[in-house]
Amino acid sequence: MNLSGTLRRRRQAVEATYFARKRLHTVSLPRFRLHGFTTEALREHGQGDLLEVGAGLSPYSATLAEVADRVTTLDIEDRSGTVDLI
């Protein structure tokens, strides 16, 4: 077992716990602040058909559903189980 594989599994376990509780954005102060700014910007400027690149665990899915006509998610891996394009 290598270090990077171990760290990846630990990160996924932590993210899964916070994601299940809808609290992933509270893991750190910078992430919390970024989540707030991004959510505000999406509500102000998001419209039409949107492509979410680097969707990850899709922390903005609820906000995107509110403002967009259609959302397509894209990421290198499907950690949330909801990514449209990998």
Side-chain angles (χ1 to χ4, degrees):
M1 184 180 305
N2 63 25
L3 181 59
S4 94
T6 300
L7 292 175
R8 180 179 298 121
R9 282 188 292 285
R10 286 184 182 176
R11 181 198 76 195
Q12 289 171 341
V14 168
E15 287 180 345
T17 299
Y18 279 89
F19 179 73
R21 296 177 183 164
K22 298 188 186 285
R23 294 285 177 239
L24 184 61
H25 63 279
T26 64
V27 173
S28 68
L29 181 58
R31 184 176 256 181
F32 177 78
R33 300 275 314 240
L34 179 63
H35 182 79
F37 292 138
T38 304
T39 300
E40 183 179 321
L42 286 171
R43 286 193 174 124
E44 185 175 339
H45 302 289
Q47 59 184 346
D49 295 342
L50 298 177
L51 174 63
E52 183 181 11
V53 178
L57 295 173
S58 300
Y60 304 106
S61 60
T63 304
L64 291 172
E66 291 173 15
V67 301
D69 295 329
R70 184 176 60 177
V71 178
T72 302
T73 55
L74 170 72
D75 206 330
I76 195 166
E77 62 182 343
D78 189 4
R79 293 187 287 159
S80 67
T82 60
V83 175
D84 298 314
L85 303 169
I86 300 173

